[in-house]
Amino acid sequence: MLNVVIADDEPLARDRLRVLLEEQPGIRVVATASDGAQALLACAEQHPDLVLLDVSMPGMDGLETARHLAASEPRPAVIFCTAYDAHAVSAFEAEALDYLVKPVRPERLAAALERVRRLTSSRTNGDGATRTRTHLCARLRGSLRLIPVDDIHYLQAEEKYVVVHHARGEDLIEESLRSLEDEFGERFVRIHRNCLVARHELVELKRSPDGHVQAVLRHGRQPLEVSRRCVASLRERLAHL
């Protein structure tokens, strides 16, 4: 039995896919979603074998949703269902298993489902340019919290986690500070080996009574320490803000 989540912002498209899936043997639709955020939450709760994703959805689109799913555990198979074939290359870069163009034909869907069955049966019990994500995902007691990148004030490494300080509080994510810097280098600047700060949050640099340089943030409760090696480049960046 394959457990499936359908994600599409059009109710009629969701209903049609559900009907087509119900005509296939060994399929159970465990949840539907109208956008990427709902799809991620449904997957965190249901742990489906397969997610059928529309590409164009409001907020978090299908391509970004697929990239989040690719980093999740257990990792579901992803099949895109879209009215356009222009995103096919991007879909496979996001590690989708298949790409179906609407209106989805029953025989084409059956073939895609067979690929998913082969993939899931082969698993043991023991896993052009990519768009930058617009959200980070934090795990909270079996569910996910989506944090808009625009709301992040700074990121601070803490043991094997990164603490995301954002407009609504703090959350832990299991990503490295280096990978976040590589992905979001245009948005964040390194002020210390363990800290990245959103450029729009930087207000000024000042010296503490003990002589250390500190960064003052627009929404920071207290200044953050700046390492000696980062001071010169940070002063230059501030001069151009």
Side-chain angles (χ1 to χ4, degrees):
M1 179 69 69
L2 289 179
N3 292 323
V4 181
V5 168
I6 300 170
D8 196 303
D9 62 325
E10 298 179 4
L12 290 177
R14 292 196 302 271
D15 292 344
R16 173 172 167 73
L17 277 175
R18 180 188 283 275
V19 170
L20 289 175
L21 288 167
E22 289 174 348
E23 294 173 350
Q24 300 291 332
I27 299 295
R28 178 190 298 119
V29 177
V30 294
T32 60
S34 60
D35 57 38
Q38 287 185 14
L40 290 177
L41 292 173
C43 289
E45 295 171 356
Q46 301 293 338
H47 304 296
D49 303 296
L50 168 65
V51 183
L52 292 175
L53 273 178
D54 186 17
V55 174
S56 299
M57 294 187 291
M60 183 185 298
D61 67 13
L63 295 172
E64 181 177 348
T65 303
R67 287 192 285 272
H68 282 298
L69 292 174
S72 66
E73 186 62 40
R75 175 181 173 180
V78 170
I79 294 175
F80 281 107
C81 300
T82 179
Y84 309 99
D85 59 7
H87 300 290
V89 173
S90 297
F92 288 114
E93 286 177 350
E95 302 186 55
L97 193 63
D98 211 333
Y99 188 94
L100 306 179
V101 178
K102 299 174 183 176
V104 176
R105 292 180 288 115
E107 61 273 20
R108 184 68 182 85
L109 177 62
L113 293 173
E114 183 56 34
R115 293 188 66 190
V116 177
R117 289 192 179 93
R118 288 198 300 269
L119 174 68
T120 55
S121 64
S122 67
R123 286 177 177 167
T124 61
N125 292 328
D127 170 26
T130 301
R131 282 183 54 191
T132 302
R133 288 176 291 169
T134 59
H135 295 70
L136 297 183
C137 284
R139 293 187 177 275
L140 296 169
R141 297 177 293 279
S143 63
L144 295 176
R145 172 177 290 166
L146 297 173
I147 308 165
V149 174
D150 287 344
D151 290 351
I152 297 174
H153 300 158
Y154 64 99
L155 302 157
Q156 199 158 35
E158 191 171 289
E159 297 182 354
K160 66 175 182 177
Y161 298 100
V162 167
V163 183
V164 183
H165 298 262
H166 55 88
R168 293 179 304 284
E170 302 174 4
D171 286 291
L172 296 178
I173 60 172
E174 297 182 22
E175 300 190 45
S176 72
L177 204 63
R178 169 60 66 184
S179 66
L180 292 167
E181 183 179 28
D182 290 343
E183 183 175 358
F184 300 105
E186 294 301 312
R187 285 180 171 270
F188 296 92
V189 59
R190 184 176 287 272
I191 68 166
H192 196 279
R193 62 180 176 80
N194 70 349
C195 188
L196 298 173
V197 172
R199 294 172 187 267
H200 61 80
E201 283 293 314
L202 287 169
V203 175
E204 64 173 336
L205 299 182
K206 71 174 187 178
R207 286 198 178 272
S208 63
D210 59 7
H212 289 100
V213 177
Q214 297 178 321
V216 177
L217 272 58
R218 197 175 308 280
H219 295 98
R221 295 180 182 175
Q222 58 188 19
L224 301 174
E225 182 181 349
V226 178
S227 66
R228 241 183 282 179
R229 64 182 298 180
C230 294
V231 170
S233 62
L234 198 55
R235 287 192 191 280
E236 184 177 349
R237 291 179 189 278
L238 276 170
H240 292 88
L241 287 178

